[in-house]
Amino acid sequence: MPHIHTVTLNPALDQILYLPEFYPEVTNRLTRSVCGLGGKGTHVSINLALLGIDNTALGIAHGETGTQIMEMLKSQGIRVCFQHYTEQDSRTNYLLIEDGGACTCLSSKGVPLTDEDISSFIQYLDQQIQEGDFLILSGDASNCPDAFVYNKIMQHLQKKHLKVFLDASGETLKKCIQEQPYLIKPNQDELSYLCGKELNCENDIREALISLDCYHIPVIAVSLGSSGSMVRINNKIYRVFPPKIQVKNTIGCGDCFLSGLIYGVYKRLSDEETLKLATAISAATAESELSVGFDMERAKVLKELVSIQA
């Protein structure tokens, strides 16, 4: 079986702050706070571990905060292969979670990486990853000197014939699709940017998905927020409708959806089973107050409430 690797170039601790409602320019009283793990790649690693899939978390971490990030991953049974530097500290993000479910993220820039750091990390990746493995490239890389670092990684590892799952946006995504990743996960605005035209309805989204045929990407999953998703798998388009839930926190839902898609591909589930599972664990995450993780038993219940039109 192939092994799954996630990459997180700008990991973080998430300081999650809960309050009834946030008001600017006044003192806001917190009801409580929790320390969690930040960075999309690390979230995918944890979600896959909860689904029972062994995986390796790769990345670059700094200082005591970086050590804490690595220990939190190890505590979930994840193999951690981060390059660790001691001079500075990895970032801390602050998430404001209101009782009504509104979420505000205050994100730090993170430790700037050099060209030498990136070159060293890519060589390290090459040593860790075997031919035919799964590679997940997701999340913020704004601390890198090259905005197209994911492109550089894919080009360097092309000879290994990996299944690359890409969760990126903007010019990064536009450049990276030229390397033919196995899966991309744009939202509606990001798909609009890729296609260079406004998408005002579901028919527009369908046409946009078809217009990307020239890039030969097997799976394109378009997130539509609380309305679910539209997913093209090879030549078939699915409209996926999520269950109705009481949303507590939307942070981490996209990472969970991606994790479910990866799981389905890894386990060779049917398209419908994969989409139902991915949607269900994303919904279970939205019901949680944390920024990562979900209740598997609740996800099983929600899975039966997911509907799909092909």
Side-chain angles (χ1 to χ4, degrees), residues 122-187:
I122 291 175
Q123 293 299 323
Y124 184 62
L125 276 181
D126 204 351
Q127 296 167 11
Q128 296 290 330
I129 295 175
Q130 303 302 313
E131 185 166 348
D133 280 351
F134 286 25
L135 178 64
I136 291 82
L137 300 174
S138 63
D140 178 62
S142 61
N143 61 328
C144 297
D146 184 353
F148 305 120
V149 62
Y150 288 159
N151 216 70
K152 188 178 290 185
I153 289 171
M154 285 191 284
Q155 287 173 349
H156 185 88
L157 298 175
Q158 189 176 28
K159 61 186 181 294
K160 291 183 181 283
H161 306 291
L162 308 176
K163 269 193 170 68
V164 177
F165 297 75
L166 176 70
D167 187 2
S169 60
E171 282 298 317
T172 299
L173 176 58
K174 202 167 191 175
K175 183 81 169 176
C176 283
I177 61 174
Q178 297 173 18
E179 301 302 324
Q180 298 180 4
Y182 180 81
L183 177 149
I184 60 173
K185 193 186 72 64
N187 60 29

Side-chain angles (χ1 to χ4, degrees), residues 159-290:
K159 61 186 181 294
K160 291 183 181 283
H161 306 291
L162 308 176
K163 269 193 170 68
V164 177
F165 297 75
L166 176 70
D167 187 2
S169 60
E171 282 298 317
T172 299
L173 176 58
K174 202 167 191 175
K175 183 81 169 176
C176 283
I177 61 174
Q178 297 173 18
E179 301 302 324
Q180 298 180 4
Y182 180 81
L183 177 149
I184 60 173
K185 193 186 72 64
N187 60 29
Q188 186 170 333
D189 288 340
E190 290 162 353
L191 181 64
S192 174
Y193 183 78
L194 276 184
C195 299
K197 64 178 183 178
E198 206 169 311
L199 307 177
N200 297 311
C201 62
E202 290 191 7
N203 192 55
D204 288 350
I205 296 172
R206 287 178 180 273
E207 290 179 358
L209 286 170
I210 294 169
S211 75
L212 296 177
D213 272 357
C214 57
Y215 293 104
H216 307 291
I217 301 169
V219 183
I220 305 175
V222 184
S223 170
L224 302 175
S226 61
S227 296
S229 62
M230 193 175 289
V231 183
R232 187 173 192 200
I233 302 178
N234 296 315
N235 294 316
K236 196 166 185 178
I237 295 177
Y238 299 89
R239 177 65 172 94
V240 186
F241 298 91
K244 294 188 182 302
I245 59 168
Q246 183 65 46
V247 176
K248 292 185 179 179
N249 172 20
T250 58
I251 295 170
C253 293
D255 302 328
C256 224
F257 183 62
L258 174 60
S259 304
L261 295 174
I262 296 165
Y263 177 91
V265 173
Y266 186 78
K267 288 291 190 178
R268 299 182 180 178
L269 302 182
S270 69
D271 295 348
E272 290 86 354
E273 278 294 299
T274 297
L275 294 172
K276 284 184 177 182
L277 174 68
T279 303
I281 62 175
S282 178
T285 299
E287 287 187 332
S288 167
E289 293 183 331
L290 300 177

